[in-house]
């Protein structure tokens, strides 16, 4: 096993949050612009980070530009605080931001960086959610030219995207997009909400917390400001719907660990082929389990 990485002794060579102050200021300016124009993909000079692009460098640059010594940070990957990506990003912030607290509890965090999930617990206006984004532009599936895509966004012309959804309905009887579901923000720009499942898309609508999305490789930052409309694209006669967790008897499946019937579930397949379901949000699962055990003990 590799020895844990440590910064060189003369830590004065690194500013708080690894990025230099000029870089942080530039990211903050892009954030302000992104908030002022909800859903607009604001370009910024994405910096080289000491990790591969695609490992959350966009989200990390947002986090490092926002985090201060009074903050409590939670990092989630696919709902879990313990996966490799989440652990590494959290350790990197601990290493470069002395004084910043880290937590696994959603309710205690002031800043939450996440990949692929929005926490189950409703976020408050005292919290900021940072989502890591691989592909920021929902139009990329229908238009290869960025210049043309920009014009389409400016004109609010999403007809080709709607045609794509319609073709899905013709072919499969429903819209087959499972994640990265195109979502219209504040009645104008349509965003790629990052690879969160459909289940999480309604949580963006009128969210009390500021939601920031950062794409490091594509050099874009965009935002869903607090209490802003976020409406998934759909048709009047084919409404948007989230993942269905009902079994063949019409019963809502429950988490096999905590028994919750109101969370997004991961399907687990055992060696013998039997299936079970468990909360994807590990903190929510722990919380429900603790509540059950406390209830059973009294
Ligand atoms: Zn659970």
């Amino acid at each position: 096993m590799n020895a844990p990485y440590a910064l060189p002794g003369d830590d004065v060579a690194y500013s708080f949050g690894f990025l230099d102050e000029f870089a942080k200021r530039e990211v903050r300016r892009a954030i302000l612009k992104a908030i002022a124009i909800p859903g607009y993909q604001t370009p910024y000079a994405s910096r080289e980070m000491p990790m591969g692009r695609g490992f959350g460098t966009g989200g990390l640059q947002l986090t490092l530009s926002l985090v201060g010594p009074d903050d409590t940070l939670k990092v989630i990957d696919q709902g879990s605080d313990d996966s490799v990506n989440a652990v590494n990003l959290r350790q990197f912030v601990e290493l470069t931001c002395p004084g910043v607290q880290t937590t696994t509890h959603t309710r205690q965090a002031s800043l939450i960086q996440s990949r692929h999930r929005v926490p189950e617990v409703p976020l408050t206006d005292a919290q900021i959610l940072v989502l890591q984004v691989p592909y920021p532009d929902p139009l990329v599936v229908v238009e290869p030219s960025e210049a043309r895509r920009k014009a389409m966004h400016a004109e609010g012309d999403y007809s080709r995207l709607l045609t794509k959804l319609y073709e899905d309905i013709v072919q499969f009887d429903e819209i087959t997009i499972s994640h990265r579901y195109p979502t219209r923000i504040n009645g104008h720009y349509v965003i790629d909400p990052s690879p969160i499942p459909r289940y999480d898309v309604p949580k963006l609508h009128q969210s009390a917390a500021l939601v920031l999305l950062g794409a490091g490789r594509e050099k874009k930052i965009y935002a869903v400001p607090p209490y802003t409309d976020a409406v998934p694209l759909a048709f009047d006669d084919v409404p948007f719907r989230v993942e269905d967790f009902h079994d063949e008897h019409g019963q809502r499946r429950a988490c096999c660990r905590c028994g919750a019937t109101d969370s997004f579930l991961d399907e687990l397949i055992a060696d013998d082929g039997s299936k079970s379901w468990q909360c994807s949000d590990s903190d929510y699962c722990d919380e429900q389990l603790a509540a059950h055990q406390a209830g059973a003990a009294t």
Side-chain angles (χ1 to χ4, degrees):
M1 197 175 139
N2 293 334
Y5 177 75
L7 286 179
D10 63 333
D11 53 1
V12 287
Y14 287 87
S15 44
F16 180 89
F18 185 79
L19 295 169
D20 60 80
E21 292 306 315
F22 185 77
K24 282 190 272 189
R25 266 205 301 274
E26 201 234 330
V27 173
R28 289 178 198 136
R29 274 200 297 268
I31 291 171
L32 289 174
K33 182 169 178 180
I35 294 169
I37 318 173
Y40 174 71
Q41 297 169 51
T42 313
Y44 78 110
S46 179
R47 298 304 198 272
E48 288 292 335
M49 300 301 290
M51 62 190 67
R53 292 213 162 135
F55 284 85
T57 56
L60 186 63
Q61 288 176 75
L62 284 171
T63 296
L64 293 173
S65 303
L66 293 167
V67 77
D70 303 333
D71 276 307
T72 305
L73 176 75
K74 172 178 165 78
V75 185
I76 329 168
D77 180 10
Q78 307 251 23
S80 168
D81 297 84
D82 299 327
S83 62
V84 177
N85 195 220
V87 169
N88 281 331
L89 289 172
R90 189 164 53 241
Q91 278 181 353
F92 183 77
V93 173
E94 284 169 348
L95 209 69
T96 56
C97 305
V100 171
Q101 302 287 310
T102 52
T103 183
T104 58
H105 300 299
T106 306
R107 294 175 206 277
Q108 288 172 7
S110 57
L111 193 59
I112 300 168
Q113 180 173 336
S114 177
R115 172 175 174 265
H116 292 201
R117 277 313 308 278
V118 176
E120 297 289 349
V121 180
L123 302 179
T124 70
D125 57 9
Q127 295 176 305
I128 296 176
L129 174 66
V130 170
L131 289 170
Q132 300 169 198
V133 178
Y135 305 105
D137 199 333
L139 288 174
V140 78
V141 289
V142 293
E143 174 54 62
S145 156
E146 183 169 8
R148 280 202 208 110
R149 290 201 300 268
K150 281 190 155 195
M152 288 161 78
H153 278 297
E155 292 165 359
D157 176 8
Y158 298 107
S159 49
R160 284 163 70 185
L161 205 50
L162 286 162
T163 308
K164 176 98 176 51
L165 301 186
Y166 174 73
E167 283 170 355
D168 257 16
I169 295 168
V170 170
Q171 203 169 353
F172 305 106
D173 272 348
E174 66 168 326
I175 297 167
T176 55
I177 302 170
S178 61
H179 56 280
R180 296 180 55 207
Y181 195 96
T183 304
R184 193 187 291 272
I185 304 303
N186 200 32
H188 187 97
Y189 290 109
V190 172
I191 63 163
D192 180 326
S194 86
I196 55 175
R198 288 185 189 206
Y199 186 87
D200 286 344
V201 172
K203 293 182 197 164
L204 302 178
H205 181 65
Q206 293 291 326
S207 156
L210 167 65
V211 182
L212 294 171
L213 300 104
R217 183 177 43 206
E218 304 288 330
K219 306 182 177 67
K220 297 280 167 50
I221 289 170
Y222 50 107
V224 184
Y227 305 109
T228 300
D229 285 351
V231 181
L233 286 191
F235 300 97
D236 290 344
D237 54 342
V238 186
F240 172 80
R241 62 182 186 88
V242 299
E243 288 81 353
D244 186 8
F245 290 110
H246 289 81
D247 62 16
E248 57 277 20
H249 308 299
Q251 194 87 12
R252 172 61 152 89
R253 294 187 200 281
C255 166
C256 63
R257 186 164 168 262
C258 73
T261 53
D262 57 357
S263 61
F264 184 82
L265 300 172
D266 285 338
E267 186 177 319
L268 310 174
I269 301 173
D271 290 343
D272 61 5
S274 63
K275 288 179 182 174
S276 59
W277 281 263
Q278 193 172 320
C279 299
S280 143
D281 185 333
S282 58
D283 174 54
Y284 184 76
C285 198
D286 289 345
E287 207 176 67
Q288 299 299 309
L289 195 62
H292 275 275
Q293 284 167 347
T298 52

